[in-house]
Amino acid sequence: QVQLVESGGGLVQAGGSLRLSCAASGSFFSINTMGWFRRAPGKQRELVASVTLGSSTNYADSVKGRFTISRDNAKNTVYLQMNSLKPEDTAVYYCNVEALFRSYVQNYWGRGTQVTVSS
């Protein structure tokens, strides 16, 4: 019902930047909260940043001041601009969206995109 296409991951040196994108498509009424999570090797998945339909944002303390989340509601796309990347940012990054249908709300996950930061 909802397809998520992620892009923008890759390998970058410490201090560099990457921009992740996640486009949602399907037969939903609207997309509410959109966010990015990540799972580093040997660790649990954690919230990186989220943005509501009204553009309120929330960030993990570890990325505040370095990462910026934004969304384009016309394109149902969420972006994560990552600056001043650190080796500890290395992880698989997953897009997550909350889709509103006529009578219910459901969460969807992307397949993930690898971000590797070399020291």
Side-chain angles (χ1 to χ4, degrees), residues 37-54:
F37 289 72
R38 67 186 180 188
R39 177 177 285 159
K43 296 186 178 181
Q44 292 187 335
R45 185 159 52 188
E46 63 174 355
L47 173 68
V48 177
S50 63
V51 57
T52 68
L53 185 59

Side-chain angles (χ1 to χ4, degrees), residues 1-2 27-34 53 96-109:
Q1 291 171 314
V2 176
S27 57
F28 48 82
F29 180 73
S30 69
I31 297 290
N32 293 340
T33 300
M34 308 182 82
L53 185 59
N96 176 269
V97 304
E98 182 182 74
L100 173 66
F101 297 88
R102 182 175 297 275
S103 59
Y104 64 96
V105 174
Q106 188 160 337
N107 254 276
Y108 292 87
W109 291 93

Side-chain angles (χ1 to χ4, degrees), residues 49-103:
S50 63
V51 57
T52 68
L53 185 59
S55 296
S56 294
T57 58
N58 181 44
Y59 294 93
D61 287 342
S62 59
V63 307
K64 284 180 180 177
R66 301 188 296 122
F67 291 10
T68 302
I69 191 169
S70 60
R71 62 188 288 170
D72 183 333
N73 292 330
K75 297 180 179 179
N76 292 311
T77 299
V78 61
Y79 306 95
L80 185 68
Q81 178 65 44
M82 304 184 293
N83 298 329
S84 301
L85 282 160
K86 304 176 180 180
E88 50 263 44
D89 294 318
T90 295
V92 178
Y93 284 70
Y94 297 90
C95 174
N96 176 269
V97 304
E98 182 182 74
L100 173 66
F101 297 88
R102 182 175 297 275
S103 59

